[in-house]
């Protein structure tokens, strides 16, 4: 959610930063792999509802979308910007390199 009608993410107590991190998406993939390696149980991954497969497909879609270059994406869904004393500590207009 934006803050006061801006595209700057609203911070709430208990959240240090609110920005996109690839490791956040990969965490459940690592957990899945570790679960399988330790237990050899495939049941969570092959349920009839296809929920796990759908989640993996969505992760791949998000990864591909997030590779879109700044110049290619004129209206990005995701922005990260925060108040900072040093201009190199945040992104210019929420996208691209600082």
């Amino acid at each position: 959610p934006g803050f006061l009608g801006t595209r700057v993410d609203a911070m709430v107590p208990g959240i240090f930063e609110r920005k996109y991190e690839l490791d956040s998406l990969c965490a459940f993939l690592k957990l899945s792999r570790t679960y399988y390696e330790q237990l050899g149980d495939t049941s969570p991954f092959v349920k009839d509802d296809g929920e796990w497969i759908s989640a993996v497909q969505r992760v791949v879609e998000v990864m591909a979308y997030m590779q879109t270059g700044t110049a290619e994406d004129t209206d990005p869904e995701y922005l990260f910007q925060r108040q900072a004393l040093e201009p190199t500590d945040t992104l210019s207009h929420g996208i691209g390199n600082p």
Side-chain angles (χ1 to χ4, degrees), residues 9-25:
D9 280 338
M11 295 300 293
V12 295
I15 297 179
F16 176 69
E17 284 188 329
R18 184 180 287 180
K19 62 183 178 180
Y20 174 82
E21 296 282 349
L22 184 59
D23 61 344
S24 299
L25 290 176

Side-chain angles (χ1 to χ4, degrees), residues 1-11 79-83:
F3 178 69
L4 297 177
T6 68
R7 295 181 85 167
V8 177
D9 280 338
M11 295 300 293
L79 296 172
F80 172 72
Q81 195 173 16
R82 65 176 169 215
Q83 299 296 321

Side-chain angles (χ1 to χ4, degrees), residues 28-29 31-37 40-54 56:
F28 106 93
L29 298 173
L31 178 64
S32 297
R33 185 200 71 209
T34 303
Y35 175 88
Y36 175 74
E37 285 176 349
D41 177 17
T42 60
S43 63
F45 317 119
V46 295
K47 289 185 177 179
D48 290 337
D49 63 8
E51 189 173 358
W52 187 83
I53 292 293
S54 295
V56 171

